[in-house]
Amino acid sequence: MAVSIQDRTDEFRSVLKQAQKRQSSSKTSSQRHALLTDAQKRDATGSGNEGGGGGGRRARSEFARKAAEIGRGITGTMAKLERLAHLAKKKSLFDDRPVEIAELTYVIKQDLSSLNSQISALQGLSKSARTRALRNASADQEGEHTKNVVVLLQGKLADVSVNFKDVLEVRTKNIQASRSRTENFVSSVSSHSQTMEPPSSGSPLYNTPTQRRTPVSGEGHSHASDVLHLDLDPSSSALARGSAQTDQQLLMMEEAQTTNGYINARGEAIEAIERTIGELGSIFGQLAGMVSEQSEMIQRIDANTEDVVENVQGAQRELMKYWNRLKVIIVGAGIAGLNAAIGLSRAGHDVVILEQSRFTNEVGAAITIGPSATRILTAYGFDYNGAGYIPHEVIASVSGITLQKQFALDFHNVVERYGERYASFHRVDLHNELKRLATAPDGIGRPVDVRLRAKVTGADATSGTVTLADGSTQTADLLIGADGLHSVVQQAINGEYPARDTGSSAFRFLIPTERLMADPVTAALVAGKRNTLYVCPDTSPDAPNRLLVWYECRGGAVQNFVGVCPSKNVDDGAEDYRHTIDKEIMLREFAHYHPDLVRVLAMADDVKLWRLYDREPLPSWVKGKAVVIGDAAHPMLPLAGQAGTQALEDGGALGCLLTHLSSREEVPERLRLFQQVRRNRAAIVQILSSIRLGQEATVTEKIRPYREGKSPIVNSRDAAEHNLRFDVFASCEEALRAAQLPVVSASVS
């Protein structure tokens, strides 16, 4: 056979030229519309000259290259995921592409696993970058940038993983819905086939023969063997009658087999998806671990930031204390003066105490301190055990004549009720602990300068100047008079405002507990009153204002006694509490008391006696730069045991109100707030201290002007609530807020 060959070389060359022209035109157009120059592209990709004379930028870092690679990988995976989502959302049986879906699922799963590993490696590079940043301050920004890049990539990968999981869940729901529809279809076909009647025929295709059929001789047949006889008459053939139904059944069976195969394939696809979801869970776990590490780092950064802020605020407070600190002179180093010095020193001020004595001898006896004052001691770090405190659990009024209990105030739960303890101390122990806190070099604030044998003979409230016995003068920004009943500073504020002789005197003495326990009679009294303060009034008819007060101190090792009686019966009395008197004078004054109590009094060795003075509430505590506290402001009788408590409250209030001054010009306003907080309260306690326990109703009207609209005090429980529940720090903070001045808790001042 001849074959003709046609030469088409020219035609091929023509097509090639047209293709080259189109390619050249496309390249020119892309160059013309390019947004970046070649140099810019090289800079962007970091492929410029390195080390050459062109001065190109340095090559991209390993971290940047890997981060870019991960970004491209995430973008590619997102494109694949969009395609998978498009396929997975198709619900039609004929549009389903299980093979392509399975392949995409596998590829995306591999991509996610690979990207997760790459991000873990990138995080390692980021940590090394941060380590370099700690060594090199200039690399700090680079380390922060790498950390942010890692967090961003982790977030994007997490978003892709979540979307992938959502797509797989949609795919699973569609497969389950398709399976449900198929199962419903198959069950309907099966039930239809069962309702069809089986063909009734004697045909051997449907009936099993029970015996062999043999042709009978003489019927025109001459076969010698058994022959199967088939009647092919269409009208009588059962096979012909059932052929249509049989074909339909076979067709349904073929369709059911095809459907079952598809269902099995879909089931396998669901299992594959479930496995993929499980693997995704592990990926999410790894991502959660990385995010947790980042979260811990952020928390550490936050904690460091809070520490920095707190340190800055603390430094600011210290600077304010330094620039606006006051020079303070306190006249008197008693309980009131030392406590005020502690509070003002903690507030950042320079404090000098001028004390006329030498602190060489122990003076005084025991003293009771209520919860309103122990709250202040606790804030200052007072060592209660070192000071040998005794808790007061009961205050009982017991007849001095019969020893019958009249009534009692229970203070077992005093801390729960009032927020602090109710305690007694030996006065010397309390004084020594306050002196330690004031002068300790390692305490809060500068140590207080205590100058002994420095007697003040004059004061000028306006200028804050004091004159000493040697003729020298000292001037301060704040002058505090804690110099007792005959205060020089008080005279500078109010002029002559003399104290009043109450007509009563007080015996004071101490007896060792061991001595009382050695006598069976007195031992019984001691055993029955532990942690109880006894007030033993004279209950005889027409008895004068006479009573005996008894409580422990120094950890229970010493018993303290105070006996109040009319001064007219004591010729040798004096207002100095260090004045010693003959014990027989005391025994004569209390001779009619119960014999057991008289037996106790007889065991006293060193008995002190001093006249009791008080004063009406002062018209003012403040003038110019001067203020008075303690007995200089509110001398009171010992009947309520509140003198020490009120002195401590004065010092606590000064320390709180004079904290964080913005300028020295604020001092007069702060002193005005001090008088507002303290004067009325101390006046009420002064009045209550002038009567015996249980006589509060006799002074209700006298107290009313100082109550400022509050309910009247009519009994001992009302008086106890007023005396014990007061919180001086809270009252000062409330006054500062009302005056729109800075408020800082006393514990941080």
Side-chain angles (χ1 to χ4, degrees):
M1 179 183 293
V3 179
S4 61
I5 300 175
Q6 183 178 0
D7 186 3
R8 305 184 67 178
T9 303
D10 294 337
E11 182 179 351
F12 172 74
R13 288 176 178 173
S14 175
V15 171
L16 180 60
K17 288 181 180 180
Q18 291 178 1
Q20 289 175 345
K21 288 181 180 180
R22 286 195 299 271
Q23 184 177 6
S24 176
S25 176
S26 174
K27 183 182 297 183
T28 302
S29 176
S30 64
Q31 290 177 352
R32 183 165 53 250
H33 295 288
L35 296 177
L36 298 176
T37 66
D38 293 339
Q40 290 173 329
K41 291 180 180 178
R42 286 195 300 272
D43 290 341
T45 59
S47 59
N49 296 331
E50 298 182 20
R57 298 182 181 178
R58 61 183 178 87
R60 301 171 71 184
S61 66
E62 181 183 1
F63 180 87
R65 289 196 301 273
K66 288 190 175 183
E69 181 180 351
I70 294 173
R72 290 192 293 271
I74 292 176
T75 302
T77 304
M78 290 176 64
K80 297 172 187 176
L81 184 59
E82 290 179 359
R83 174 62 180 167
L84 178 62
H86 177 72
L87 294 175
K89 292 178 181 178
K90 293 182 177 181
K91 298 182 179 180
S92 174
L93 183 66
F94 302 100
D95 292 336
D96 192 26
R97 300 182 184 180
V99 176
E100 185 176 357
I101 290 175
E103 291 176 351
L104 277 175
T105 301
Y106 177 78
V107 171
I108 293 174
K109 181 173 63 175
Q110 294 298 112
D111 289 350
L112 291 176
S113 179
S114 175
L115 290 171
N116 188 36
S117 300
Q118 293 178 40
I119 290 179
S120 298
L122 190 67
Q123 189 176 20
L125 288 176
S126 174
K127 290 181 178 179
S128 64
R130 288 197 298 275
T131 303
R132 290 196 303 275
L134 293 175
R135 294 194 300 267
N136 184 6
S138 63
D140 188 18
Q141 294 182 350
E142 178 182 353
E144 186 69 20
H145 172 70
T146 58
K147 181 186 69 174
N148 294 337
V149 170
V150 170
V151 173
L152 178 63
L153 292 175
Q154 287 175 342
K156 288 185 175 294
L157 182 60
D159 293 340
V160 173
S161 301
V162 171
N163 293 336
F164 184 36
K165 184 177 180 181
D166 294 341
V167 169
L168 293 180
E169 290 177 350
V170 171
R171 173 67 175 166
T172 302
K173 291 179 181 178
N174 290 342
I175 291 176
Q176 291 174 347
S178 177
R179 174 184 290 181
S180 177
R181 290 196 300 271
T182 303
E183 290 176 351
N184 292 336
F185 172 74
V186 172
S187 62
S188 64
V189 169
S190 175
S191 61
H192 177 70
S193 62
Q194 290 176 0
T195 58
M196 296 175 59
E197 289 187 8
S200 58
S201 172
S203 171
L205 294 175
Y206 297 97
N207 297 303
T208 303
T210 58
Q211 62 181 5
R212 183 192 300 267
R213 296 188 63 185
T214 304
V216 182
S217 61
E219 293 181 356
H221 300 281
S222 60
H223 300 285
S225 61
D226 292 337
V227 179
L228 178 62
H229 175 73
L230 298 176
D231 188 359
L232 299 178
D233 186 358
S235 62
S236 61
S237 174
L239 182 61
R241 290 194 302 270
S243 61
Q245 298 174 351
T246 303
D247 291 343
Q248 184 178 3
Q249 291 177 347
L250 292 174
L251 179 60
M252 290 181 179
M253 292 174 64
E254 291 176 358
E255 290 180 351
Q257 291 176 356
T258 303
T259 302
N260 289 335
Y262 178 75
I263 291 173
N264 291 334
R266 298 293 287 267
E268 293 175 357
I270 290 176
E271 293 176 355
I273 290 174
E274 291 175 347
R275 288 194 299 271
T276 302
I277 292 175
E279 294 175 0
L280 277 176
S282 65
I283 293 176
F284 276 125
Q286 297 177 12
L287 284 174
M290 289 188 288
V291 172
S292 176
E293 293 179 3
Q294 297 293 333
S295 175
E296 292 176 358
M297 181 177 297
I298 292 173
Q299 289 176 355
R300 289 196 296 270
I301 292 174
D302 289 343
N304 293 336
T305 302
E306 292 175 356
D307 291 341
V308 169
V309 171
E310 184 175 351
N311 291 336
V312 170
Q313 291 176 345
Q316 183 182 13
R317 288 197 298 267
E318 293 304 317
L319 284 173
M320 293 294 292
K321 288 181 181 179
Y322 177 79
W323 289 112
N324 297 309
R325 64 185 181 185
L326 304 175
K327 179 181 178 182
V328 181
I329 291 179
I330 300 176
V331 182
I335 291 174
L338 285 173
N339 189 60
I342 296 170
L344 292 170
S345 174
R346 289 167 63 93
H349 304 303
D350 294 330
V351 183
V352 175
I353 297 180
L354 303 177
E355 168 59 37
Q356 65 178 346
S357 71
R358 300 183 181 182
F359 278 176
T360 56
N361 298 317
E362 292 187 356
V363 295
I367 186 172
T368 59
I369 303 297
S372 60
T374 54
R375 179 179 290 107
I376 301 168
L377 297 179
T378 300
Y380 291 169
F382 190 89
D383 183 2
Y384 288 94
N385 292 327
Y389 95 102
I390 284 289
H392 282 323
E393 297 177 353
V394 177
I395 295 180
S397 178
V398 178
S399 170
I401 306 301
T402 65
L403 288 184
Q404 295 295 316
K405 184 179 293 186
Q406 297 173 312
F407 62 88
L409 300 176
D410 187 357
F411 294 107
H412 282 86
N413 61 342
V414 65
V415 176
E416 291 76 11
R417 288 172 59 188
Y418 302 112
E420 260 299 338
R421 69 199 81 194
Y422 194 171
S424 64
F425 304 87
H426 192 289
R427 184 180 294 268
V428 173
D429 298 335
L430 174 63
H431 190 270
N432 287 339
E433 178 62 13
L434 290 174
K435 183 169 61 175
R436 181 192 68 81
L437 290 173
T439 59
D442 56 349
I444 299 177
R446 303 181 67 179
V448 175
D449 181 8
V450 181
R451 301 178 185 178
L452 304 180
R453 292 182 291 182
K455 183 177 181 179
V456 174
T457 58
D460 186 333
T462 303
S463 63
T465 302
V466 294
T467 302
L468 278 69
D470 61 4
S472 63
T473 61
Q474 296 187 27
T475 301
D477 300 308
L478 176 63
L479 175 61
I480 300 175
D483 45 345
L485 183 66
H486 303 296
S487 170
V488 173
V489 179
Q490 189 282 128
Q491 293 179 14
I493 294 174
N494 294 297
E496 289 295 331
Y497 210 83
R500 177 176 60 88
D501 187 347
T502 63
S504 296
S505 295
F507 299 97
R508 279 188 181 272
F509 58 94
L510 300 170
I511 300 177
T513 304
E514 183 179 9
R515 183 184 302 174
L516 293 175
M517 295 301 293
D519 186 314
V521 175
T522 57
L525 291 177
V526 174
K529 66 164 295 298
R530 178 156 180 82
N531 296 343
T532 298
L533 186 151
Y534 274 177
V535 178
C536 305
D538 187 347
T539 57
S540 59
D542 300 325
N545 192 17
R546 182 186 291 108
L547 60 83
L548 181 69
V549 179
W550 176 11
Y551 56 92
E552 302 107 310
C553 63
R554 286 193 168 169
V558 177
Q559 304 291 321
N560 177 75
F561 296 86
V562 179
V564 178
C565 65
S567 298
K568 64 181 181 178
N569 299 331
V570 184
D571 297 331
D572 197 22
E575 60 184 68
D576 186 354
Y577 56 80
R578 289 171 293 189
H579 179 73
T580 302
I581 193 173
D582 187 354
K583 179 174 65 175
E584 294 301 324
I585 297 176
M586 178 188 67
L587 292 176
R588 184 175 64 244
E589 189 66 27
F590 290 93
H592 62 293
Y593 263 47
H594 192 281
D596 292 351
L597 287 178
V598 174
R599 192 182 187 96
V600 170
L601 300 180
M603 293 184 180
D605 285 335
D606 185 16
V607 179
K608 307 293 184 182
L609 177 70
W610 83 101
R611 291 185 182 274
L612 299 179
Y613 290 81
D614 68 359
R615 179 189 288 124
E616 292 295 321
L618 291 175
S620 177
W621 290 17
V622 174
K623 180 180 178 182
K625 296 181 179 180
V627 61
V628 287
I629 61 175
D631 284 348
H634 44 69
M636 55 187 68
L637 299 181
L639 302 182
Q642 278 286 311
T645 297
Q646 296 307 305
L648 291 173
E649 287 184 16
D650 292 341
L654 280 175
C656 185
L657 291 171
L658 290 169
T659 299
H660 287 219
L661 298 175
S662 59
S663 69
R664 290 178 174 83
E665 284 68 29
E666 285 186 8
V667 172
E669 172 63 12
R670 301 292 182 113
L671 293 181
R672 183 191 67 80
L673 294 178
F674 170 75
Q675 178 166 284
Q676 172 185 316
V677 170
R678 294 295 304 139
R679 181 176 177 275
N680 284 355
R681 169 170 168 77
I684 294 173
V685 178
Q686 271 185 282
I687 297 171
L688 290 174
S689 297
S690 66
I691 56 154
R692 291 191 327 206
L693 192 66
Q695 296 179 340
E696 291 76 16
T698 62
V699 293
T700 298
E701 293 304 317
K702 190 175 182 179
I703 288 174
R704 192 181 302 277
Y706 303 102
R707 288 289 286 171
E708 298 175 337
K710 298 177 183 177
S711 59
I713 296 175
V714 297
N715 54 43
S716 299
R717 297 189 184 278
D718 293 342
E721 284 294 305
H722 174 270
N723 293 344
L724 306 182
R725 192 171 293 280
F726 183 71
D727 187 337
V728 68
F729 292 141
S731 297
C732 291
E733 291 169 7
E734 181 181 353
L736 288 170
R737 290 191 186 93
Q740 298 182 349
L741 293 171
V743 177
V744 178
S745 174
S747 61
V748 298
S749 62

Coordinates of all heavy atoms in Angstrom, one line a residue, residues 265-303:
A265 N -17.6 1.5 51.6 CA -16.6 2.5 51.3 C -16.8 3.7 52.1 O -15.8 4.3 52.6 CB -16.6 2.8 49.8
R266 N -18.0 4.1 52.2 CA -18.3 5.3 53.1 C -18.0 5.1 54.5 O -17.5 5.9 55.2 CB -19.8 5.7 52.9 CG -20.2 6.1 51.5 CD -19.5 7.4 51.1 NE -20.1 8.5 51.7 CZ -21.0 9.3 51.2 NH1 -21.6 9.0 50.0 NH2 -21.4 10.4 51.8
G267 N -18.2 3.9 55.0 CA -17.9 3.5 56.4 C -16.4 3.6 56.6 O -15.9 4.1 57.6
E268 N -15.6 3.1 55.6 CA -14.2 3.2 55.8 C -13.7 4.6 55.8 O -12.8 5.0 56.5 CB -13.5 2.4 54.6 CG -13.7 0.9 54.7 CD -13.2 0.2 53.5 OE1 -12.7 0.9 52.6 OE2 -13.2 -1.0 53.4
A269 N -14.4 5.5 55.0 CA -14.1 6.9 54.9 C -14.4 7.6 56.3 O -13.6 8.4 56.8 CB -14.9 7.6 53.8
I270 N -15.5 7.2 56.9 CA -15.8 7.7 58.2 C -14.7 7.3 59.2 O -14.3 8.1 60.1 CB -17.2 7.3 58.7 CG1 -18.3 7.9 57.8 CG2 -17.4 7.6 60.1 CD1 -19.7 7.5 58.1
E271 N -14.3 6.1 59.2 CA -13.3 5.6 60.1 C -12.0 6.4 59.9 O -11.3 6.8 60.9 CB -13.0 4.1 60.0 CG -14.2 3.3 60.4 CD -14.0 1.8 60.1 OE1 -12.9 1.5 59.5 OE2 -14.8 1.0 60.5
A272 N -11.7 6.6 58.6 CA -10.4 7.4 58.3 C -10.6 8.8 58.9 O -9.6 9.4 59.4 CB -10.2 7.5 56.8
I273 N -11.8 9.4 58.8 CA -12.0 10.8 59.3 C -11.8 10.8 60.8 O -11.2 11.7 61.4 CB -13.3 11.3 58.8 CG1 -13.4 11.6 57.3 CG2 -13.7 12.6 59.6 CD1 -14.7 12.0 56.8
E274 N -12.4 9.8 61.4 CA -12.3 9.7 62.9 C -10.8 9.6 63.3 O -10.4 10.2 64.3 CB -13.1 8.5 63.4 CG -14.6 8.7 63.3 CD -15.4 7.5 63.7 OE1 -14.8 6.5 63.9 OE2 -16.6 7.6 63.9
R275 N -10.0 8.8 62.6 CA -8.6 8.7 62.9 C -7.9 10.0 62.7 O -7.1 10.4 63.5 CB -8.0 7.6 62.1 CG -8.3 6.2 62.4 CD -7.4 5.2 61.8 NE -7.4 5.3 60.3 CZ -8.3 4.6 59.5 NH1 -9.1 3.8 60.1 NH2 -8.2 4.7 58.2
T276 N -8.3 10.7 61.7 CA -7.7 12.0 61.4 C -8.1 13.0 62.5 O -7.2 13.8 63.0 CB -8.2 12.6 60.1 OG1 -7.9 11.6 59.0 CG2 -7.6 13.9 59.8
I277 N -9.3 12.9 63.0 CA -9.7 13.8 64.1 C -8.9 13.5 65.3 O -8.5 14.4 66.1 CB -11.2 13.7 64.4 CG1 -12.0 14.3 63.2 CG2 -11.6 14.4 65.6 CD1 -13.5 14.1 63.3
G278 N -8.7 12.2 65.6 CA -7.8 11.9 66.7 C -6.4 12.4 66.6 O -5.8 12.9 67.6
E279 N -5.9 12.3 65.4 CA -4.5 12.9 65.2 C -4.5 14.4 65.3 O -3.6 15.0 65.9 CB -4.0 12.5 63.8 CG -3.8 11.0 63.7 CD -3.4 10.6 62.2 OE1 -3.3 11.5 61.4 OE2 -3.2 9.4 62.0
L280 N -5.6 15.0 64.9 CA -5.8 16.4 65.1 C -5.8 16.8 66.6 O -5.3 17.8 67.0 CB -7.0 17.0 64.4 CG -7.0 17.3 62.9 CD1 -8.3 17.7 62.4 CD2 -5.9 18.4 62.6
G281 N -6.4 15.9 67.4 CA -6.4 16.1 68.8 C -5.0 16.2 69.4 O -4.7 17.0 70.2
S282 N -4.2 15.3 68.9 CA -2.8 15.3 69.4 C -2.1 16.6 69.0 O -1.3 17.1 69.7 CB -2.0 14.1 68.9 OG -1.9 14.1 67.5
I283 N -2.4 17.0 67.7 CA -1.8 18.3 67.3 C -2.2 19.4 68.1 O -1.5 20.3 68.5 CB -2.1 18.5 65.8 CG1 -1.4 17.5 64.9 CG2 -1.7 19.9 65.4 CD1 -1.8 17.6 63.4
F284 N -3.6 19.4 68.4 CA -4.1 20.5 69.3 C -3.4 20.4 70.7 O -3.2 21.4 71.3 CB -5.6 20.3 69.5 CG -6.4 20.9 68.4 CD1 -7.3 20.2 67.6 CD2 -6.2 22.3 68.0 CE1 -8.0 20.8 66.6 CE2 -6.9 22.9 67.0 CZ -7.8 22.1 66.3
G285 N -3.1 19.2 71.2 CA -2.5 19.1 72.4 C -1.1 19.7 72.4 O -0.7 20.4 73.3
Q286 N -0.3 19.5 71.3 CA 1.0 20.1 71.2 C 0.9 21.6 71.1 O 1.6 22.3 71.7 CB 1.7 19.5 69.9 CG 2.0 18.0 70.0 CD 2.6 17.5 68.7 OE1 3.0 18.3 67.9 NE2 2.6 16.2 68.6
L287 N -0.1 22.1 70.3 CA -0.3 23.5 70.2 C -0.7 24.1 71.6 O -0.2 25.2 72.0 CB -1.4 23.8 69.2 CG -1.1 23.7 67.8 CD1 -2.3 23.9 66.9 CD2 0.0 24.8 67.4
A288 N -1.5 23.3 72.3 CA -1.9 23.8 73.7 C -0.7 23.9 74.6 O -0.6 24.8 75.4 CB -3.0 22.9 74.3
G289 N 0.2 22.9 74.5 CA 1.4 23.0 75.3 C 2.3 24.2 74.9 O 2.8 24.9 75.8
M290 N 2.4 24.5 73.6 CA 3.2 25.7 73.2 C 2.5 27.0 73.7 O 3.1 27.9 74.2 CB 3.4 25.7 71.7 CG 4.3 24.6 71.2 SD 4.7 24.8 69.5 CE 3.2 24.3 68.7
V291 N 1.2 27.0 73.5 CA 0.4 28.2 74.0 C 0.6 28.4 75.5 O 0.7 29.5 76.0 CB -1.0 28.1 73.6 CG1 -1.8 29.2 74.2 CG2 -1.2 28.2 72.1
S292 N 0.6 27.2 76.2 CA 0.7 27.3 77.7 C 2.0 27.8 78.1 O 2.2 28.6 79.0 CB 0.5 25.9 78.3 OG 0.7 25.9 79.7
E293 N 3.1 27.4 77.3 CA 4.4 28.0 77.6 C 4.4 29.5 77.4 O 4.9 30.3 78.2 CB 5.5 27.4 76.7 CG 5.7 25.9 77.0 CD 6.7 25.3 76.1 OE1 7.3 26.0 75.3 OE2 7.0 24.1 76.2
Q294 N 3.8 29.9 76.3 CA 3.7 31.4 76.1 C 2.9 32.1 77.1 O 3.2 33.2 77.6 CB 3.1 31.6 74.7 CG 3.9 31.1 73.5 CD 5.2 31.8 73.3 OE1 5.3 33.0 73.7 NE2 6.2 31.1 72.8
S295 N 1.8 31.4 77.6 CA 1.0 32.0 78.6 C 1.8 32.2 79.9 O 1.7 33.2 80.6 CB -0.3 31.1 78.9 OG -1.0 31.6 80.0
E296 N 2.6 31.1 80.3 CA 3.4 31.2 81.5 C 4.4 32.4 81.4 O 4.6 33.1 82.4 CB 4.1 29.9 81.8 CG 3.2 28.7 82.1 CD 3.9 27.4 82.2 OE1 5.1 27.4 82.0 OE2 3.3 26.4 82.6
M297 N 4.9 32.5 80.2 CA 5.9 33.6 80.0 C 5.2 35.0 80.2 O 5.7 35.9 80.8 CB 6.5 33.5 78.7 CG 7.6 34.6 78.4 SD 8.3 34.4 76.8 CE 9.1 32.8 77.0
I298 N 4.0 35.1 79.6 CA 3.2 36.3 79.7 C 2.9 36.6 81.2 O 2.9 37.7 81.7 CB 2.0 36.2 78.9 CG1 2.3 36.2 77.4 CG2 1.0 37.4 79.2 CD1 1.2 36.0 76.5
Q299 N 2.5 35.5 81.9 CA 2.2 35.7 83.3 C 3.4 36.2 84.1 O 3.3 37.0 85.0 CB 1.7 34.4 83.9 CG 0.3 34.0 83.4 CD -0.2 32.7 84.0 OE1 0.6 32.0 84.7 NE2 -1.4 32.3 83.7
R300 N 4.6 35.6 83.8 CA 5.8 36.1 84.5 C 6.1 37.5 84.1 O 6.5 38.3 85.0 CB 7.0 35.2 84.1 CG 6.9 33.8 84.6 CD 8.3 33.1 84.5 NE 8.7 32.9 83.1 CZ 8.4 31.8 82.4 NH1 7.7 30.9 83.0 NH2 8.8 31.7 81.2
I301 N 5.8 37.9 82.9 CA 6.0 39.3 82.5 C 5.1 40.2 83.2 O 5.4 41.2 83.7 CB 5.8 39.4 80.9 CG1 7.0 38.7 80.2 CG2 5.8 40.9 80.6 CD1 6.8 38.7 78.7
D302 N 3.8 39.7 83.3 CA 2.8 40.5 84.1 C 3.2 40.7 85.5 O 3.1 41.7 86.1 CB 1.4 39.8 84.0 CG 0.8 40.0 82.6 OD1 1.3 40.8 81.8 OD2 -0.1 39.2 82.3
A303 N 3.7 39.5 86.1 CA 4.1 39.6 87.5 C 5.3 40.6 87.7 O 5.3 41.4 88.6 CB 4.5 38.2 88.0

